[in-house]
Amino acid sequence: MKAIRTRGGLSVRLDVRTTVVVTLLLLAALAASVVLIGTGDFEIPAADVVRTLLGDGNAGQEFIINELRLPRVLVGLLVGAALGLGGALFQSIARNPLGSPDVLGLGQGATAGALTMIVLFQGSATAVAGGALVGGLVTGLAIYLLAWKRGVHGYRLVLVGIGVSAFITAINGYLLTKADFVDAARAVVWMTGSLNGRDWEQVWPLLALCAVLVPLVLVYGRPLRMLEMGDDVANALGVRVERTRLVLLTASVLLTAAATAAAGPVSFVALTAPQLARRLTRSPGPNLMPAMFMGAALLIVADFASQRAFGADQLPVGVVTGVLGGGYLLWLLVAQRKAGRI
């Protein structure tokens, strides 16, 4: 930890290792994005991609990059960042590495909202995204109310979330059985989680939401760090515990629901990104910025792997994150058991 003092007397504490990790993750996400933009049936060298993004490409490259590939990559970056930050908030509030939106049922809630629009109303892509957003918000509110008992505590939040997740999973299965073949096929594709066909219509709403919520969450970084020490300690230090927890939970639900609305329920990014970021920074705090950039880098790398690692067969990015995240979850459960925590 290093203290930096300005001439005006302002003092800022800077964690050098965390700053280096955040910088490297940002560079990795940007480098992977440039490579991904150049990937496809029409290969474009990385230097030409950068030149075109700076406004110095030819007409063909500008159309392919700016209209076809750049929106998909931006959606991937924003979805990964939103999931990483939302997962870090949930895990910090629950004080449990399993306290992730994947485990607590927010993804399933958003899926229920999307399935309702697909199966019952044959809704458009915009209606499906809106249904997913509403479904995630309603699920988050239900979990909060059911977990409330003179406050919301970590393990109660996790247990209630697991129960709600199981209940909504059953509802989603029922909706699928009631769908006709075309709607069921469309629903299954959406439920996998994919960046295929994403354009600027998905970029702008997600970008606007992140522009509002990310600064808000970072402002609450210090109170969140105190919450990790327990409610009594946080109260003694002047933190308004329930207000802080409600604001951060709402922000996390919004981030997760918006990401799911934009790309479908991309699994395990919200679970793995905060834990990987914490291991890199070796910091006990919430690691909000590292988790956010880790999520962005993870999703872009997974999308690249989904397009290039399986030959001619291109997989939805949710399949790749599911395989990697499932293995990580098994390892995490084994580690928690050996540590005597479960």
Side-chain angles (χ1 to χ4, degrees):
M1 189 72 70
K2 182 178 181 180
I4 300 177
R5 299 183 182 275
T6 65
R7 293 183 178 179
L10 179 65
S11 178
V12 179
R13 297 177 66 190
L14 184 67
D15 189 321
V16 177
R17 184 182 180 91
T18 299
T19 303
V20 171
V21 169
V22 167
T23 302
L24 292 177
L25 287 173
L26 175 60
L27 292 175
L30 293 177
S33 298
V34 170
V35 174
L36 183 58
I37 290 173
T39 298
D41 294 333
F42 184 79
E43 297 283 345
I44 302 177
D48 291 343
V49 171
V50 174
R51 191 180 302 113
T52 303
L53 291 174
L54 295 176
D56 194 26
N58 59 49
Q61 290 175 339
E62 287 183 355
F63 174 75
I64 292 173
I65 291 174
N66 295 332
E67 298 300 325
L68 300 181
R69 297 181 183 175
L70 180 59
R72 173 185 177 131
V73 170
L74 289 178
V75 170
L77 289 171
L78 290 170
V79 167
L83 291 175
L85 184 56
L89 288 172
F90 262 105
Q91 291 178 16
S92 183
I93 291 171
R95 297 197 292 274
N96 189 319
L98 295 177
S100 160
D102 299 300
V103 178
L104 299 186
L106 291 182
Q108 287 82 353
T111 300
L115 285 178
T116 300
M117 298 307 299
I118 293 173
V119 175
L120 301 183
F121 300 102
Q122 291 76 46
S124 64
T126 302
V128 171
L133 184 61
V134 172
L137 292 175
V138 171
T139 303
L141 178 62
I143 292 172
Y144 185 83
L145 293 177
L146 291 172
W148 175 270
K149 184 180 180 182
R150 295 190 296 275
V152 175
H153 300 284
Y155 277 100
R156 190 187 307 142
L157 187 70
V158 172
L159 291 174
V160 169
I162 292 173
V164 170
S165 176
F167 177 74
I168 298 178
T169 299
I171 293 177
N172 292 341
Y174 173 78
L175 288 172
L176 280 176
T177 63
K178 291 299 180 181
D180 60 34
F181 180 79
V182 175
D183 288 338
R186 180 184 173 198
V188 169
V189 170
W190 189 91
M191 290 171 63
T192 305
S194 175
L195 297 176
N196 291 336
R198 298 307 183 263
D199 56 26
W200 291 105
E201 290 184 2
Q202 284 82 38
V203 173
W204 298 122
L206 191 54
L207 180 61
L209 186 73
C210 289
V212 173
L213 291 181
V214 171
L216 174 66
V217 168
L218 295 180
V219 167
Y220 275 86
R222 185 171 179 270
L224 179 60
R225 192 175 298 112
M226 295 178 182
L227 276 179
E228 289 189 337
M229 296 185 290
D231 290 2
D232 293 338
V233 175
N235 269 317
L237 293 173
V239 176
R240 301 179 68 175
V241 172
E242 287 307 322
R243 176 182 174 181
T244 300
R245 186 179 285 124
L246 178 60
V247 169
L248 293 177
L249 279 174
T250 302
S252 180
V253 169
L254 283 170
L255 287 167
T256 304
T260 305
V266 179
S267 58
F268 289 113
V269 174
L271 175 69
T272 58
Q275 293 301 311
L276 293 176
R278 179 169 293 197
R279 280 163 173 75
L280 287 177
T281 61
R282 298 178 185 173
S283 173
N287 289 286
L288 299 178
M289 289 287 285
M292 184 170 65
F293 288 116
M294 175 63 78
L298 277 177
L299 194 55
I300 289 299
V301 171
D303 192 33
F304 177 81
S306 71
Q307 295 186 49
R308 306 294 291 182
F310 302 95
D313 298 324
Q314 292 190 9
L315 299 178
V317 68
V319 175
V320 177
T321 60
V323 171
L324 297 177
Y328 174 80
L329 178 60
L330 290 175
W331 174 84
L332 182 61
L333 290 171
V334 171
Q336 292 287 302
R337 182 180 179 184
K338 287 183 177 179
R341 295 171 185 161
I342 59 175

